Amino acid sequence: MSNRQERANSEIQKCLIEIIQEKMNDPRLNKIISVTEVKVSPDFKYCKVKISVLDVKDIEAVTSVLQKSEGYIKKELGKMLDMPYMPKLKFEVDKGAISTLRVEEILKNLNIPPKEEESDGE
């Protein structure tokens, strides 16, 4: 990946976080949302945005809202970034974050008895 792409990924990610958390007023987006990864194509026409949400049950609704708000998000990105044109945004679920949440949930539900102290009187 070129240095130019890496800089674009970083700037787009920062701007998307700001737009989603501060400028969008949709009540379905009041959850804790994080933009975990941004990958812009080499021709800067497409951009894959991976997101994660604290509550796994809300992830599909949040992804749908973001995808439907692509026009607004692109307009706001255009105001914040100096790019010849804004890439088409595709929002995807970050499966790694979901897997991490699932493992944490399983670990919380495990009933592991405390380890008993071994006696030296053998």
Side-chain angles (χ1 to χ4, degrees), residues 4-120:
R4 185 174 175 216
Q5 270 182 284
E6 289 176 20
R7 283 194 328 255
N9 289 340
S10 175
E11 287 301 313
I12 291 172
Q13 183 173 7
K14 282 189 255 181
C15 292
L16 284 174
I17 291 170
E18 183 179 333
I19 292 167
I20 292 169
Q21 292 178 350
E22 297 175 15
K23 296 185 179 186
M24 293 185 73
N25 294 326
D26 194 305
R28 294 169 288 187
L29 298 179
N30 287 341
K31 316 289 188 266
I32 298 177
I33 301 172
S34 60
V35 177
T36 56
E37 185 178 5
V38 173
K39 282 188 180 178
V40 69
S41 64
D43 61 359
F44 291 88
K45 290 188 179 185
Y46 301 96
C47 183
K48 193 181 299 184
V49 181
K50 291 191 178 184
I51 60 164
S52 69
V53 177
L54 189 61
D55 191 359
V56 179
K57 294 175 275 188
D58 297 326
I59 193 94
E60 294 205 19
V62 167
T63 306
S64 173
V65 169
L66 290 173
Q67 200 61 55
K68 288 177 183 175
S69 303
E70 179 193 8
Y72 171 77
I73 295 170
K74 283 174 66 171
K75 183 176 85 172
E76 291 298 316
L77 272 176
K79 293 176 187 176
M80 300 168 87
L81 298 174
D82 184 25
M83 293 178 75
Y85 52 86
M86 285 297 114
K88 176 160 180 52
L89 302 173
K90 182 169 193 251
F91 292 94
E92 296 181 348
V93 176
D94 186 352
K95 293 186 183 358
I98 290 177
S99 298
T100 302
L101 290 173
R102 178 79 176 122
V103 168
E104 286 177 3
E105 182 180 314
I106 291 170
L107 290 175
K108 284 181 188 175
N109 293 330
L110 287 177
N111 188 12
I112 301 173
K115 186 176 179 181
E116 294 181 16
E117 298 277 331
E118 292 184 19
S119 61
D120 292 331

